[in-house]
Amino acid sequence: MDSYYCIVSTAEDPVADLCVLDARDDGIARARALAAAEGVVGWERVSVYAGERLVDRVERAAIPELPLAA
């Protein structure tokens, strides 16, 4: 059985964090990867793998710049 792991990326570092996930299926692995990503300041993308198989890739939605008040 392959292990689940995730790679958390930021704008400055494509591998800001790499962690092994305690999960028995893809859904649990995805949820645990997102929880791990929340611990990385400025994360932009988290990729979840089972061995070499890509399970999911989540891109953080960019927060649009608000216009300055006139």
Side-chain angles (χ1 to χ4, degrees), residues 1-7 18 26 47-57:
M1 179 177 180
D2 288 330
S3 296
Y4 285 97
Y5 66 96
C6 69
I7 299 172
L18 172 68
D26 292 357
S47 303
V48 185
Y49 293 89
E52 293 184 16
R53 176 180 64 91
L54 177 64
V55 172
D56 198 7
R57 181 169 287 137

Side-chain angles (χ1 to χ4, degrees), residues 1-20:
M1 179 177 180
D2 288 330
S3 296
Y4 285 97
Y5 66 96
C6 69
I7 299 172
V8 182
S9 305
T10 65
E12 295 81 29
D13 190 355
V15 185
D17 195 14
L18 172 68
C19 51
V20 176

Side-chain angles (χ1 to χ4, degrees), residues 10-66:
T10 65
E12 295 81 29
D13 190 355
V15 185
D17 195 14
L18 172 68
C19 51
V20 176
L21 304 169
D22 181 19
R24 65 179 181 271
D25 64 38
D26 292 357
I28 293 171
R30 183 181 190 276
R32 293 203 172 142
L34 288 173
E38 291 302 324
V40 177
V41 176
W43 75 270
E44 291 187 350
R45 179 185 323 104
V46 60
S47 303
V48 185
Y49 293 89
E52 293 184 16
R53 176 180 64 91
L54 177 64
V55 172
D56 198 7
R57 181 169 287 137
V58 178
E59 302 277 341
R60 177 179 248 174
I63 300 172
E65 296 284 330
L66 297 176

